[in-house]
Amino acid sequence: WRERASISMGCDASTRKKLSPVKFLAAYPIGDTKIEELPVREIAPAIGYYKKVLGFSVVEFDAKTAKLQRGDAIIGLKVSKEDPEQASVYFSVLNVRQLRQEYEDCGICPSQLSEEIVGDNSKIIRFFAKEPYGVCFCFGQKIRESKCEMKASETVKNNSFNGVVHPDEDDQKKGVCTAQNAVRDER
């Protein structure tokens, strides 16, 4: 996916202003990555890329380091001889589909969206991208199952599904529950 998920420098300020807001919740290291010291060769061009293309703001910087933030996610850049291709970061976001579209509109070539079950048995939807210096990113969002979907999942697992699912009040208000959409992924 690294080759398919490369990022170019194609987003300008006017495009960024038109983009829908996406909430960055946190940044987490993947493997041994130090997210406060992501390796770059030169600080100024890297800061420009992270601001212009990825939508980060500069919190502080000097000649060899920078602290960047987007929403609640904070990362750092550091001039280093370390191989950037060995660094990977997971960003927890809301509206991951909108973020993927935002980056695609900016000339980034992200991977396709995919779903995965993670350690706590929750589902995430995610995509990957790689910045031009080599750092790999995974952007993901937990998928919230409605209470109706969880009930349907339980009844299917217990082999007691009779084709009728009764949504609770919250699901009814949101219009998210029908027997077909509640169990379509279970078959």
Side-chain angles (χ1 to χ4, degrees):
W1 55 267
R2 285 180 183 253
E3 290 78 31
R4 289 184 291 125
S6 64
I7 300 174
S8 72
M9 297 285 277
C11 196
D12 63 17
S14 63
T15 303
R16 171 95 29 226
K17 287 177 186 175
K18 295 176 191 173
L19 301 173
S20 58
V22 172
K23 176 79 172 150
F24 274 60
L25 303 174
Y28 302 98
I30 297 174
D32 295 332
T33 299
K34 296 177 187 172
I35 63 170
E36 66 281 356
E37 297 180 359
L38 298 174
V40 297
R41 299 290 179 243
E42 296 179 62
I43 202 71
I47 289 172
Y49 180 81
Y50 277 78
K51 281 177 59 180
K52 184 177 178 183
V53 179
L54 298 178
F56 281 82
S57 299
V58 177
V59 175
E60 60 188 38
F61 75 98
D62 60 34
K64 297 205 180 240
T65 63
K67 184 176 180 181
L68 308 172
Q69 183 171 4
R70 181 164 179 186
D72 294 330
I74 299 173
I75 58 172
L77 306 177
K78 182 178 180 181
V79 173
S80 170
K81 293 186 184 207
E82 290 183 36
D83 181 4
E85 294 210 9
Q86 301 306 309
S88 299
V89 180
Y90 175 80
F91 291 100
S92 176
V93 301
L94 293 179
N95 301 320
V96 71
R97 286 178 175 86
Q98 288 176 333
L99 180 63
R100 187 182 179 286
Q101 187 62 54
E102 173 185 320
Y103 285 168
E104 197 168 65
D105 291 348
C106 288
I108 293 171
C109 299
S111 71
Q112 294 298 313
L113 289 167
S114 62
E115 289 185 12
E116 179 184 20
I117 304 290
V118 292
D120 63 355
N121 284 329
S122 60
K123 248 190 232 183
I124 63 166
I125 186 165
R126 67 181 181 184
F127 71 90
F128 296 93
K130 184 172 87 169
E131 48 104 286
Y133 310 102
V135 177
C136 290
F137 299 124
C138 178
F139 301 91
Q141 175 181 348
K142 277 193 175 183
I143 299 172
R144 180 197 169 284
E145 287 185 297
S146 72
K147 290 177 187 173
C148 175
E149 290 168 322
M150 288 186 266
K151 286 178 199 173
S153 178
E154 273 306 305
T155 57
V156 169
K157 286 178 189 169
N158 297 332
N159 292 322
S160 60
F161 181 67
N162 62 6
V164 178
V165 175
H166 301 285
D168 65 17
E169 232 174 271
D170 288 341
D171 288 326
Q172 286 176 335
K173 287 178 188 171
K174 295 176 189 165
V176 297
C177 192
T178 67
Q180 288 114 350
N181 73 9
V183 297
R184 69 172 170 244
D185 295 331
E186 297 293 336
R187 294 185 184 160

